[in-house]
């Protein structure tokens, strides 16, 4: 099929590359000329395992094209995917400016009947508003072009997005017409050999499904973090509790690991957007509101532990930070716990030595410039510990899981480790380390 994907951010780029991998001809469109030029050269705006190779191969085979010319793309397309960002607005709602800008571009340049598919995460009812917006402009153009609208939310995990796209757990499609369902099932047939993985529904339910999926996962994380905090004040061990409840198949082990809070571009934004959607509709979502409150507090837990150990005045202290991205496998630092921890420690007078396998540069661009003079970014993980009063693990990259504790001991001024993801064994205390964990 011939496909246009509008937006070359995380979702659009992964989606376009994977569609082209299956032999479709894909135009990826963006208004950012610099980004498009870099993509043509194989320079990606994000880090995602295997994505660079897929983009390079797609272009070399003539299946994947990057352009700022939406008319060129629409003249050669059967299906149009909208995959632009929906950032959080000040009131917690989803900002749909990019969505309607894309819809306007479609309406002004489309020349034939087409299917428009919204893949971006959008509030309930947005697809119908997009359709109305396009049809209004088409009417002003005296155009006879007709469009169908569909919702097809993405369920990609950063760090595993290619695998998730190529081998999806499910393909959710929201549409009004049987022929639209058939068209999208044909498109995804090369990804989904088991037809039970197609989940067909009405458009509003499809839009809601994406929000509910992220809100449920965020709720599990915040719930377990609250249990960890209760364990800590009562003397229980959350790691043992996790094993005790995870063995129950109704609960399972996924997303019940205690830690120092969730971040990223999806969970915080989508939980807030769902809260806003409910409130606008006249319902006060009590559980969701507290999911966010628990998470905001959890991002401060490591700072509180540092203060309990070293005092509130951290002048003259230096701390090493392992991990800046919000999770392993990505360079994304949006809403990352590291931003809160590092800023809070510097505000108390500390200096920071930091290392992340992929996110150093993105972190520099994201954190307030006023903090940069107090941060030394290291290119090797053990350099972080040089002369530090303690080591703080925030992101559980694999290279941090089994480090050389003898070498770390030699480099640290004080043998103190704050383990924000509970990945270290208490046995390291036998090496003379003070180990502070979450809920243990």
């Amino acid at each position: 099929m011939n496909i246009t994907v509008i937006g070359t951010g995380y979702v659009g780029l992964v989606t376009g590359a994977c569609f082209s991998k299956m032999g479709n001809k894909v135009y990826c469109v963006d208004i950012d000329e610099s980004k498009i030029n870099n993509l043509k050269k194989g320079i990606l705006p994000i880090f995602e395992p295997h994505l660079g190779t897929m983009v390079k191969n797609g272009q070399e085979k003539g299946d994947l094209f990057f352009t700022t010319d939406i008319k060129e793309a629409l003249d050669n397309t059967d299906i149009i995917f909208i995959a632009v960002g929906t950032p959080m607005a000040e009131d917690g709602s989803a900002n749909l400016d990019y969505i309607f800008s894309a819809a306007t571009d479609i309406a002004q340049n489309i020349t034939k009947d087409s299917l428009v598919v919204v893949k971006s995460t959008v509030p309930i009812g947005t697809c119908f508003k997009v359709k109305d917006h396009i049809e209004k402009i088409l009417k002003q153009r005296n155009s006879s072009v007709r469009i169908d609208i569909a919702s097809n939310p993405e369920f990609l995990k950063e760090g595993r997005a290619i695998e998730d796209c190529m081998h999806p757990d499910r393909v959710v499609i929201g549409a009004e017409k049987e022929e639209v369902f058939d068209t999208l099932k044909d498109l995804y047939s090369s990804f989904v050999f088991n037809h039970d993985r197609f989940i067909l529904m009405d458009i509003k339910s499809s839009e809601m499904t994406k929000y509910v999926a992220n809100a449920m996962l965020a709720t599990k994380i915040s719930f377990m973090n609250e249990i960890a905090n209760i364990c800590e004040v009562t003397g229980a061990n959350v790691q043992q509790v996790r094993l005790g409840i995870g063995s129950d198949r109704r609960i399972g082990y996924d997303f019940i690991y205690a830690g120092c809070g969730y971040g990223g571009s999806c969970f915080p934004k989508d939980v807030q957007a769902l809260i806003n959607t409910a409130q606008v509709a006249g319902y006060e979502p009590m559980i969701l509101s507290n999911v966010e409150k628990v998470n905001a507090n959890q991002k401060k837990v490591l700072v509180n532990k540092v203060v309990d150990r070293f005092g509130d005045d951290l002048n003259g202290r230096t701390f090493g930070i392992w991990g800046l991205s919000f999770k392993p496998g990505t360079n994304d630092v949006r809403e990352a716990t590291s931003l809160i921890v590092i800023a809070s420690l510097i505000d108390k007078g500390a200096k920071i030595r930091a290392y992340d396998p992929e996110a150093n540069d993105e972190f520099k661009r994201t954190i307030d410039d006023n903090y940069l003079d107090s941060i030394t970014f290291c290119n090797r993980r053990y350099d972080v510990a040089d002369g530090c009063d303690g080591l703080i693990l925030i992101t559980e990259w694999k290279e941090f899981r089994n480090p050389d504790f003898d070498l770390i001991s030699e480099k640290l001024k004080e043998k103190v480790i704050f383990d924000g993801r509970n990945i270290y064994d208490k046995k390291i205390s036998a090496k003379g380390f003070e180990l502070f964990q979450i809920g243990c």
Side-chain angles (χ1 to χ4, degrees), residues 318-322 351-356 360 375-392 399-400 403-404 407-413:
T318 301
F319 295 96
I321 302 288
W322 271 0
K351 299 291 186 182
I352 300 295
R353 295 176 63 81
Y355 167 78
D356 188 285
N360 279 6
I375 307 172
T376 299
F377 292 92
C378 301
N379 294 320
R380 294 182 297 184
R381 65 186 184 276
Y382 292 116
D383 290 349
V384 160
D386 287 340
C388 284
D389 295 278
L391 177 64
I392 303 171
E399 65 184 84
F400 301 149
D404 185 340
L407 178 58
I408 293 171
S409 177
E410 293 173 7
K411 288 174 172 285
L412 288 175
K413 281 201 290 188

Side-chain angles (χ1 to χ4, degrees), residues 6-258:
I6 301 176
T8 58
Y10 196 88
V11 174
L13 189 54
V14 171
T15 300
C18 288
F19 279 151
S20 72
K21 174 73 173 178
M22 293 305 193
N24 300 289
K25 184 177 181 180
V26 180
Y27 282 85
C28 288
V29 182
D30 203 292
I31 59 173
D32 188 333
E33 189 169 346
S34 175
K35 182 193 286 189
I36 291 297
N37 288 337
N38 281 335
L39 285 167
K40 289 178 178 178
K41 300 172 187 175
I43 302 172
L44 274 60
I46 58 172
F47 170 76
E48 178 64 36
H50 313 299
L51 180 58
T53 300
M54 190 173 285
V55 167
K56 179 176 180 290
N57 291 343
Q59 291 188 91
E60 289 178 350
K61 293 179 179 179
D63 293 326
L64 182 61
F65 303 86
F66 295 101
T67 183
T68 58
D69 186 351
I70 192 168
K71 189 176 188 312
E72 174 193 7
L74 295 181
D75 285 345
N76 295 281
T77 198
D78 301 308
I79 306 175
I80 306 163
F81 282 88
I82 297 178
V84 297
T86 53
M88 191 190 308
E90 289 186 8
D91 64 355
S93 64
N95 184 332
L96 300 178
D97 289 350
Y98 298 130
I99 293 286
F100 286 104
S101 177
T104 298
D105 288 342
I106 292 169
Q108 290 176 341
N109 291 280
I110 198 169
T111 58
K112 61 179 181 178
D113 294 354
S114 298
L115 170 59
V116 177
V117 183
V118 179
K119 186 165 274 293
S120 303
T121 303
V122 294
I124 295 82
T126 299
C127 284
F128 292 119
K129 293 177 182 178
V130 167
K131 184 180 181 183
D132 290 344
H133 184 80
I134 294 173
E135 289 179 339
K136 180 180 178 181
I137 295 174
L138 289 172
K139 185 176 181 180
Q140 292 170 352
R141 289 177 52 199
N142 294 318
S143 172
S144 60
V145 169
R146 302 177 66 181
I147 67 159
D148 287 311
I149 194 79
S151 167
N152 174 221
E154 53 83 18
F155 299 97
L156 306 177
K157 296 183 288 291
E158 292 193 38
R160 293 185 54 188
I162 297 299
E163 181 180 349
D164 289 342
C165 194
M166 298 295 288
H167 307 285
D169 293 328
R170 76 282 205 197
V171 176
V172 173
I173 303 170
E176 300 176 285
K177 299 179 180 178
E178 199 63 37
E179 54 264 36
V180 173
F181 286 126
D182 290 342
T183 297
L184 289 174
K185 286 173 70 175
D186 285 344
L187 174 62
Y188 279 105
S189 61
S190 53
F191 298 91
V192 181
F193 294 107
N194 184 344
H195 286 269
D196 289 343
R197 295 189 181 182
F198 285 112
I199 303 176
L200 312 181
M201 59 184 70
D202 65 87
I203 288 175
K204 286 187 176 182
S205 296
S206 175
E207 292 169 327
M208 177 64 98
T209 296
K210 169 63 177 183
Y211 277 118
V212 174
N214 280 350
M216 175 63 80
L217 297 175
T219 299
K220 290 184 73 174
I221 294 171
S222 280
F223 174 80
M224 206 61 195
N225 282 335
E226 184 151 84
I227 296 301
N229 296 334
I230 296 172
C231 285
E232 197 155 308
V233 298
T234 58
N237 186 314
V238 74
Q239 294 286 70
Q240 295 178 24
V241 172
R242 177 180 62 82
L243 295 174
I245 66 171
S247 56
D248 186 328
R249 285 178 292 180
R250 296 170 301 174
I251 297 173
Y253 291 105
D254 290 341
F255 288 85
I256 61 167
Y257 290 83

Side-chain angles (χ1 to χ4, degrees), residues 296-316:
N297 288 332
Q298 201 68 17
K299 291 182 178 182
K300 302 172 186 175
V301 166
L302 286 173
V303 177
N304 295 338
K305 289 181 180 293
V306 171
V307 169
D308 288 344
R309 171 62 175 77
F310 291 99
D312 196 55
D313 183 0
L314 298 178
N315 280 288

